[in-house]
């Protein structure tokens, strides 16, 4: 009998309830899913061991790597998942514990639906947060608050607690993620400078090239250094697009532009392309034969049969593959899903707040009537054209702030400007929700009101666990009137969903027309 799985952590989960067969919709095998559950249980066991032992910097790194490994579309390889499980067990033993302290995660999946829902929010939120903490760590930044919460949150998953004990941990997950996003923002800007508005071409120039996808700016920087003077152009993909706004990365002249659109289109967009692809974080789709020979992974990303770049960060195999393939013989002029040939990025909180006086004056004068934050994860499920149509139908006196790969639904649209600023402003990667929060807080202070009193509406799309931790941060901050889609998470029980509706007015998206009418009156 084939091994069966249970997984409902992402938006595309089967039938909107959970992947339960021999493979997940994402392509993850039941064997890999079972190992990831064991890895999660081992992490809970490690956290329990930390109650009577002193965690070290190495302990916290193991926790980050372990949680990161279990995010959707990161690691499909049972060999590397098992290796990560062994590392967790070794660290537990080093602290005086044993594998006997591992927790059976099946107890979470089989629990009362409300307990399962709350523990899932904590677990999935921590998985997303671990990715952010890991990127910050790669740039030399850590946070005692964030590290200690991972241990606390994991230990809480192994407790036989009710809703009263778990709800505060859910909110604390959002609080910890706020600190984590602030840490990563500081790590990125102190290393690469404050992002500046930048127009990015979608043309792929002739000659050898490498496409870098994911979120890890350090990996991109290392690749740029190793390809200098080699006649190879570098292009971003997906969540790496915002790299073009950072001054210290912009100085590399061979960082040319952006290839393709969001992650879920890669099997179509990467097919037979004469360039090499480097995956630095999640959103790896199972590679097809038409391009699998030119896909490389690094960090915790792994897929059986692909060449993996280890901790030495020697990208020679990627470079050699790009040179071997040779690239296109002539420039290729690609477009976004709406036909645009360029996209803008670089509108982080540093840029937006530097012109805050103009924005405030425009609001007071009535030139800007409303702000929308339209962003989040993109995905393949039907209904995501909602976000394209929503942005198209927003009035000309409104501003669209966006972030994460959800922006690819509309970021190539030209919908005009307000006060010299484009109406669509890309604030960056999903973790740059921190920028949106800083802008909202600054505007609330300027108008002497609460954030919920601002003419601001959040219209969010979700796919995986990073979206979960961002949502929890918004809830921790007390932000209300959030529109969420394209579907609600399968792990939200009716009672937990009702709690979110009653306390935060979380609203499922309907149609662009109906939602805009409700928002704007």
């Amino acid at each position: 009998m084939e091994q069966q799985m249970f997984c409902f952590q992402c938006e595309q989960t089967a039938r909107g309830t959970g992947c339960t067969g021999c493979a997940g919709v994402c392509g993850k095998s039941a064997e890999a899913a079972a190992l990831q559950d064991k890895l999660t249980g081992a992490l809970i066991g490690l956290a329990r061991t930390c109650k009577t032992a002193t965690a070290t910097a190495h302990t916290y790194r193991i926790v980050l790597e372990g949680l990161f490994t279990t995010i959707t579309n990161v690691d499909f390889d049972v060999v590397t998942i098992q290796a990560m499980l062994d590392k967790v067990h070794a660290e537990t033993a080093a602290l005086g514990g044993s594998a006997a302290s591992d927790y059976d995660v099946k107890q979470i999946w089989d629990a009362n639906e409300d307990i399962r829902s709350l523990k899932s929010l904590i677990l999935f939120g921590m998985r997303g947060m671990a990715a952010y903490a890991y990127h910050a760590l790669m740039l030399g930044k850590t946070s005692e608050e964030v590290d200690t919460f991972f241990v606390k949150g994991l230990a809480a998953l192994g407790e036989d607690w009710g809703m009263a004990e778990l709800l505060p941990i859910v909110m604390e997950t959002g609080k910890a993620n706020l600190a984590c996003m602030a840490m990563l923002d500081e790590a990125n800007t102190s290393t690469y400078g404050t992002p500046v508005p930048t127009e990015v071409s979608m043309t792929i120039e002739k000659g050898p090239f490498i496409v870098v996808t994911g979120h890890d700016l350090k990996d991109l920087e290392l690749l740029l250094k190793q390809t200098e003077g080699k006649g190879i152009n570098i292009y971003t993909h997906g969540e790496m697009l915002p790299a073009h706004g950072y001054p210290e990365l912009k100085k590399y002249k061979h960082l040319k532009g952006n290839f393709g659109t969001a992650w879920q289109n890669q099997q179509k967009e990467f097919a037979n392309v004469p360039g090499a692809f480097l995956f630095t974080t999640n959103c790896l789709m199972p590679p097809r034969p038409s391009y699998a020979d030119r896909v490389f992974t690094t960090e915790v990303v792994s897929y059986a049969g692909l060449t993996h770049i280890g901790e030495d960060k020697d990208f020679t195999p990627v470079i050699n593959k790009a040179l071997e393939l040779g690239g296109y013989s002539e420039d290729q002029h690609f477009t976004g899903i709406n036909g645009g040939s360029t996209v803008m990025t670089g509108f982080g909180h540093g840029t937006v707040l530097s012109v805050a006086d103009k924005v405030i004056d425009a609001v007071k004068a009535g030139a800007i009537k409303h702000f929308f934050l339209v962003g989040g994860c993109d995905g393949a499920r039907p209904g995501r054209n909602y976000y394209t149509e929503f942005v198209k139908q927003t009035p000309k006196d409104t501003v669209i702030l966006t972030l994460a790969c959800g922006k690819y639904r509309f970021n190539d649209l030209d919908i005009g400007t307000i006060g010299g600023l484009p109406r669509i402003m890309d604030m960056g990667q999903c973790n740059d929700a921190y920028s949106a929060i800083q802008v909202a807080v600054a505007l609330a202070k300027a108008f002497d009101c609460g954030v919920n009193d601002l003419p601001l509406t959040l219209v969010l799309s979700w796919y995986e666990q990073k979206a979960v931790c961002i949502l929890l941060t918004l809830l921790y901050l007390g932000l209300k009137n959030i529109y969420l889609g394209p579907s609600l998470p399968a792990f939200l029980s009716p009672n937990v969903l009702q709690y979110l509706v009653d306390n935060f007015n979380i609203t499922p998206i309907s149609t662009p027309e109906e939602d805009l009418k409700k928002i704007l009156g």
Side-chain angles (χ1 to χ4, degrees):
M1 181 178 177
E2 284 188 298
Q3 188 168 10
Q4 299 293 297
M5 67 185 293
F6 176 74
C7 183
F8 64 170
Q9 70 175 356
C10 79
E11 188 267 338
Q12 69 180 359
T13 195
R15 299 172 298 281
T17 57
C19 295
T20 57
C22 58
V25 174
C26 68
K28 178 172 62 178
S29 68
E31 185 182 4
L35 270 176
Q36 289 184 351
D37 277 353
K38 287 183 178 180
L39 174 56
T40 301
L43 288 167
I44 294 172
L46 175 57
R48 286 169 156 175
T49 300
C50 290
K51 290 181 178 180
T52 56
T54 303
T56 66
H58 185 256
T59 307
Y60 294 131
R61 174 160 182 161
I62 292 292
V63 169
L64 297 186
E65 290 180 358
L67 285 168
F68 197 170
T69 296
T70 61
I71 292 178
T72 304
N73 293 72
V74 168
D75 195 336
F76 297 81
D77 189 353
V78 295
V79 174
T80 55
I81 300 171
Q82 180 63 54
M84 188 68 241
L85 177 59
D86 293 342
K87 287 173 71 172
V88 174
H89 282 154
E91 184 63 17
T92 301
L95 295 178
S98 71
S101 61
D102 286 5
Y103 181 76
D104 182 3
V105 175
K106 192 173 183 292
Q107 293 182 62
I108 296 178
W109 311 144
D110 293 341
N112 163 278
E113 64 176 359
D114 294 332
I115 301 305
R116 179 175 72 168
S117 186
L118 293 175
K119 286 191 174 183
S120 295
L121 280 168
I122 296 165
L123 174 59
F124 301 157
M126 286 193 297
R127 286 176 175 176
M129 184 168 60
Y132 297 154
Y134 187 86
H135 299 321
L137 179 63
M138 294 303 99
L139 295 174
K141 300 294 182 182
T142 60
S143 162
E144 182 179 358
E145 175 186 354
V146 174
D147 286 342
T148 54
F149 176 75
F150 279 122
V151 172
K152 178 180 180 178
L154 282 167
L157 296 176
E159 298 289 352
D160 186 20
W161 285 350
M163 291 185 70
E165 293 91 355
L166 290 171
L167 270 171
I169 304 295
V170 170
M171 290 299 124
E172 194 173 346
T173 307
K175 178 185 178 183
N177 186 59
L178 178 62
C180 189
M181 290 194 297
M183 173 176 64
L184 180 53
D185 177 79
E186 201 274 330
N188 287 338
T189 55
S190 64
T191 305
Y192 302 114
T194 299
V196 296
T198 303
E199 186 175 41
V200 182
S201 172
M202 297 185 74
T203 293
I204 306 301
E205 297 180 13
K206 66 179 181 180
F209 67 95
I210 298 170
V211 175
V212 186
T213 189
H215 303 72
D216 202 298
L217 299 181
K218 182 65 175 180
D219 284 332
L220 174 61
E221 179 192 25
L222 292 173
L223 181 66
L224 287 167
K225 287 180 176 178
Q226 292 180 36
T227 49
E228 270 193 302
K230 288 185 166 60
I232 299 174
N233 289 328
I234 306 298
Y235 296 89
T236 56
H237 172 266
E239 284 271 57
M240 200 62 87
L241 167 64
H244 291 277
Y246 288 94
E248 291 301 306
L249 297 175
K250 287 168 66 70
K251 70 182 183 182
Y252 292 95
K253 301 304 180 186
H254 60 304
L255 178 60
K256 289 289 187 176
N258 192 67
F259 177 92
T261 54
W263 68 273
Q264 78 277 0
N265 299 320
Q266 65 192 252
Q267 291 180 330
K268 175 179 65 178
E269 294 178 345
F270 289 9
N272 301 309
V273 170
F277 298 90
L278 175 64
F279 280 80
T280 68
T281 58
N282 59 313
C283 298
L284 170 68
M285 294 278 280
R288 291 184 171 169
S290 60
Y291 65 90
D293 66 314
R294 57 208 64 183
V295 177
F296 300 81
T297 59
T298 191
E299 297 298 349
V300 301
V301 189
S302 187
Y303 194 91
L306 301 184
T307 300
H308 187 78
I309 307 301
E311 292 183 6
D312 62 354
K313 294 298 179 182
D314 181 357
F315 292 115
T316 299
V318 192
I319 293 168
N320 288 343
K321 176 58 72 172
L323 292 171
E324 172 195 328
L325 292 167
Y328 294 108
S329 58
E330 299 294 336
D331 292 357
Q332 301 293 306
H333 303 287
F334 295 106
T335 64
I337 66 171
N338 299 291
S341 59
T342 63
V343 290
M344 289 288 293
T345 192
F347 290 93
H349 63 92
T351 292
V352 177
L353 294 181
S354 71
V355 294
D357 54 340
K358 295 180 182 178
V359 174
I360 292 165
D361 288 344
V363 174
K364 289 180 177 178
I368 296 177
K369 293 286 179 60
H370 206 88
F371 295 88
F372 294 99
L373 174 61
V374 185
C377 309
D378 204 1
R381 188 184 292 273
R384 287 183 179 267
N385 60 320
Y386 166 95
Y387 298 93
T388 309
E389 294 305 314
F390 186 96
V391 169
K392 283 182 178 179
Q393 293 179 36
T394 54
K396 296 186 183 300
D397 55 4
T398 61
V399 170
I400 313 298
L401 304 175
T402 190
L403 48 83
C405 61
K407 61 176 164 265
Y408 282 102
R409 292 283 168 173
F410 51 80
N411 67 339
D412 63 320
L413 288 171
D414 181 3
I415 60 171
T417 61
I418 289 182
L421 294 170
R423 283 189 55 221
I424 297 177
M425 289 188 271
D426 175 17
M427 308 195 88
Q429 298 179 339
C430 54
N431 50 279
D432 289 310
Y434 180 75
S435 275
I437 291 166
Q438 295 309 301
V439 169
V441 170
L443 288 175
K445 184 176 180 181
F447 290 109
D448 193 24
C449 65
V451 172
N452 289 314
D453 299 317
L454 289 170
L456 167 69
T457 304
L458 284 67
V459 184
L460 306 180
S461 55
W462 86 282
Y463 170 71
E464 45 91 357
Q465 295 77 62
K466 293 175 185 175
V468 176
C469 64
I470 290 171
L471 177 63
L472 295 182
T473 293
L474 298 176
L475 300 183
Y476 161 72
L477 292 170
L479 271 74
K480 298 185 177 181
N481 305 314
I482 298 171
Y483 286 73
L484 184 64
S487 61
L488 293 176
F491 51 81
L492 287 181
S493 68
N495 285 336
V496 171
L497 175 60
Q498 193 61 49
Y499 174 86
L500 296 178
V501 170
D502 292 344
N503 289 275
F504 300 99
N505 198 23
I506 293 262
T507 304
I509 60 171
S510 56
T511 66
E513 295 81 4
E514 290 176 13
D515 290 343
L516 278 167
K517 183 178 180 180
K518 190 186 305 182
I519 294 164
L520 298 175

